[in-house]
Amino acid sequence: MLGNGNVNIAANNQLQLGNEIRADGNLALSSQQGDVVAQSVFANDSVGISSHGNIDVQTVQAANDLALSASTGQITAQSLLAGRDLGLRAQDRIQLQGDAGAGRNASIQSAQAGVQAGNLSAGNDLTVLAAQAIQVAGGASAGGDLALSSQNAGVSAQTLLANGDLSTQAAGDIIIAGTVAAGGNNQLHSSAGQVDLGADLYGANSVSVIGNSVQLAQGLQSGGLASVTANTGAIHSA
């Protein structure tokens, strides 16, 4: 399906599109009472997809903004790319099997479940908020600030990189296999779990680590104040 201008496809119930959809302008897909299922979606302007239930897409690319909203369900996607801002909102879980990126800001929120992703990136700020676990199989990077927050579970990733401030907050374990680096302040705070870092920890301005126990495999470097606190257990550092 090809639209020379804007494309708007709205369904009262299930909306299922098997073929590629392209729009020279804006592209909007919506279902008032059901799910939205689509394969490849491309727009030379912005893309908006909203559903009462689930959103299941493969590849979605927008030259400007890309917004997905599942008011009672989950979001499942393979690849998401926004030239400007990326916004994902779901009541249930968000599962991004590949990469999700934004040229400017990216905001990902799961109100009652967790977030799973391959790689996450933003040219400016990147924010991920979840009620349950945040799991990034690859890395999360931001040209500005990077914030990851799990209200009731843990955070895991391969690497976390921010040119600005980096904030990782969790109720459970924070486990990062690779480098955790910030061009500003770097905070990793777990209220009821351990902090386990497998590589370099760096903050150009400051570093703050809090957990029940703390493992720093490669130590830490800070351009200012450095604070490491183990509330109930031990601190191990190279």
Side-chain angles (χ1 to χ4, degrees):
M1 182 181 295
L2 174 63
N4 291 326
N6 297 333
V7 173
N8 185 10
I9 304 174
N12 183 57
N13 208 320
Q14 186 90 353
L15 175 58
Q16 185 162 355
L17 303 168
N19 296 323
E20 180 179 289
I21 306 169
R22 288 184 178 270
D24 284 340
N26 297 315
L27 195 156
L29 306 176
S30 64
S31 171
Q32 292 184 6
Q33 300 183 42
D35 302 335
V36 174
V37 180
Q39 294 296 317
S40 300
V41 179
F42 303 95
N44 287 334
D45 205 324
S46 296
V47 172
I49 302 176
S50 62
S51 75
H52 177 75
N54 302 322
I55 295 175
D56 188 348
V57 294
Q58 290 296 311
T59 299
V60 183
Q61 294 184 10
N64 286 324
D65 299 335
L66 195 167
L68 275 62
S69 176
S71 59
T72 66
Q74 66 184 25
I75 294 173
T76 303
Q78 179 64 39
S79 175
L80 302 175
L81 179 62
R84 196 163 57 182
D85 293 339
L86 172 67
L88 307 180
R89 308 284 186 276
Q91 188 72 8
D92 204 342
R93 70 171 181 160
I94 296 176
Q95 184 173 14
L96 309 174
Q97 298 164 346
D99 298 343
R104 193 165 63 180
N105 299 315
S107 175
I108 301 171
Q109 298 184 28
S110 171
Q112 294 187 348
V115 173
Q116 295 176 309
N119 292 285
L120 300 173
S121 64
N124 195 17
D125 297 340
L126 170 59
T127 302
V128 183
L129 305 175
Q132 299 300 327
I134 298 173
Q135 299 169 305
V136 184
S141 62
D145 297 338
L146 171 59
L148 306 175
S149 178
S150 171
Q151 297 175 357
N152 302 302
V155 174
S156 63
Q158 184 64 33
T159 59
L160 299 178
L161 305 173
N163 284 341
D165 293 338
L166 197 163
S167 173
T168 307
Q169 309 283 335
D173 296 341
I174 298 174
I175 302 175
I176 313 299
T179 299
V180 181
N185 302 307
N186 196 339
Q187 294 184 341
L188 299 105
H189 293 176
S190 171
S191 60
Q194 65 173 329
V195 177
D196 189 344
L197 306 181
D200 296 333
L201 172 62
Y202 174 76
N205 292 342
S206 67
V207 172
S208 175
V209 182
I210 300 174
N212 282 353
S213 63
V214 177
Q215 175 75 37
L216 304 176
Q218 299 295 328
L220 69 84
Q221 290 183 311
S222 174
L225 177 66
S227 173
V228 180
T229 303
N231 291 327
T232 61
I235 297 173
H236 296 282
S237 177

